[in-house]
Amino acid sequence: MRVLIADDSLLSRRLLEETLRLWNYEVVVACDGAEAWRILDGPDAPSLAILDWMMPGHTGPELCQLVRKKAREPYTYILLLTSRNDKEDVVTGMDSGADDYITKPFDKHELKVRLRAGTRIVELQEQLLSTREALRVQATRDYLTNLWNRSAILQQLERELARSWREGEPVGVILGDLDHFKAINDTWGHAAGDLALREAAERMKSSLRPYDSLGRYGGEEFLLVLPGASLEDTIWLADRVRLAIRNEPVMWQKANVTLSCSFGCTSGQGGRVTADELIRIADEALYAAKRGGRDRAVGRECIPSLTTSPTVGSAMQEVLFNATENL
Ligand code: GH3
Ligand code: MG
Ligand code: MG
């Protein structure tokens, strides 16, 4: 555990430093309040701090206030070091945001147990933070493919549409659906189907640009969000993903399982079209791709209506039929 010792008295600083090192704490030292704040405000700030009350630069209570105002995570546990033991001063110190205090000259046993209490709080808080992070991952990731889950990818689409509105750039949207996937489950079993889903997800991910987003939209359906992509770019990318999926069979217990995917593509700009409309248009294009024989990417342009009447909606125009002769 790293501990900051901030004290302008050389003697007191040395004594504290030596004692803490003996107890196996990793010690960081500051000679005044300004230096202490630079450390506490820095990227690698210790989670435990022992701050002298009276220091040039900033006093201990002032530092407490600065730290609490910043509300950094993980939490900084602060012990104020004071030669005052007047009750009112203690109240002022704790009021400014200190967690505990110890009077100078310090008693080693007392310092030891107070530091132990601080360490416990800091460790508990670290556990809470990592649990919260794990929950956040669980809430946004699909357990099978580790892609974004449906609600997370929809949020990304909303976010990209808001950005595209500000920047006047389009957003490409692709809906992909694995072909005859039920037959894979029926022929090879559910575990083979799961493997094929994971493999398809990997292949999709590796054919995208770093700033594209990919999520599992449903059972064997995927949603891809491509910032800045025109319809032409979107179809081109969908076809690249399509080839990555179908070019190599998936190996399942020494058998070759062939895999292919159909794609519906569209592109639109935030403020002119909603996420729901883009998905509906992509879904219609996907349906056309299935009808047309599968293993293909079909694009439909989304032409925003010039009127704002909700009954008019977006006019659509089917523009492009993929791509490959390879059916
Ligand atoms: P199409 O080409 O028209 O899309 O045909 P399809 O067989 O892919 O479509 P259908 O909707 O009939 O079947 C989808 C199948 O995907 C049925 C369902 O059991 C399977 N599926 C959905 N989620 C999972 C999953 O997590 N794991 C596995 N193994 N199968 C899944
Ligand atoms: Mg399917
Ligand atoms: Mg489906």
Side-chain angles (χ1 to χ4, degrees), residues 255-298:
N256 287 335
V257 179
T258 51
L259 198 59
S260 73
C261 192
S262 302
F263 296 92
C265 314
T266 192
S267 170
Q269 205 173 309
R272 298 182 174 199
V273 65
T274 64
D276 283 351
E277 278 177 299
L278 279 173
I279 290 174
R280 182 173 52 76
I281 298 166
D283 198 33
E284 285 175 9
L286 171 62
Y287 186 65
K290 291 282 184 188
R291 243 185 4 229
R294 296 176 173 76
D295 189 18
R296 65 190 59 208
V298 170

Side-chain angles (χ1 to χ4, degrees), residues 105-261:
F106 63 87
D107 172 85
K108 276 194 181 178
H109 297 294
E110 190 185 344
L111 178 65
K112 194 173 202 170
V113 291
R114 289 189 190 268
L115 272 173
R116 209 184 288 149
T119 306
R120 251 195 322 264
I121 300 275
V122 167
E123 283 172 355
L124 269 174
Q125 215 248 350
E126 279 167 2
Q127 277 170 27
L128 273 175
L129 286 181
S130 69
T131 308
R132 189 183 68 187
E133 177 58 17
L135 283 174
R136 197 187 59 75
V137 169
Q138 256 179 40
T140 53
R141 290 281 166 184
D142 170 59
Y143 71 98
L144 182 72
T145 58
N146 202 32
L147 300 179
W148 297 118
N149 64 20
R150 184 185 176 106
S151 64
I153 189 69
L154 286 173
Q155 264 178 33
Q156 310 238 7
L157 175 56
E158 294 285 0
R159 200 175 310 142
E160 284 310 326
L161 278 175
R163 196 209 307 267
S164 98
W165 192 5
R166 288 196 304 274
E167 294 175 3
E169 287 279 313
V171 178
V173 168
I174 304 173
L175 263 183
D177 184 299
L178 295 176
D179 297 329
H180 299 304
F181 195 67
K182 194 173 171 307
I184 293 182
N185 277 333
D186 292 348
T187 312
W188 307 98
H190 211 265
D194 282 358
L195 174 75
L197 271 168
R198 277 197 296 266
E199 187 60 41
E202 266 315 305
R203 293 179 189 184
M204 286 191 196
K205 210 162 31 179
S206 56
S207 2
L208 292 177
R209 306 164 304 174
Y211 41 92
D212 296 330
S213 308
L214 166 63
R216 189 169 174 206
Y217 190 65
E220 24 78 88
E221 279 185 58
F222 300 87
L223 178 63
L224 295 82
V225 178
L226 319 174
S230 65
L231 180 60
E232 221 182 349
D233 301 334
T234 307
I235 295 168
W236 182 84
L237 245 140
D239 211 49
R240 192 164 89 172
V241 175
R242 183 186 70 80
L243 289 172
I245 291 175
R246 59 111 58 211
N247 274 355
E248 283 269 323
V250 174
M251 287 297 287
W252 171 253
Q253 295 177 346
K254 295 189 183 154
N256 287 335
V257 179
T258 51
L259 198 59
S260 73
C261 192

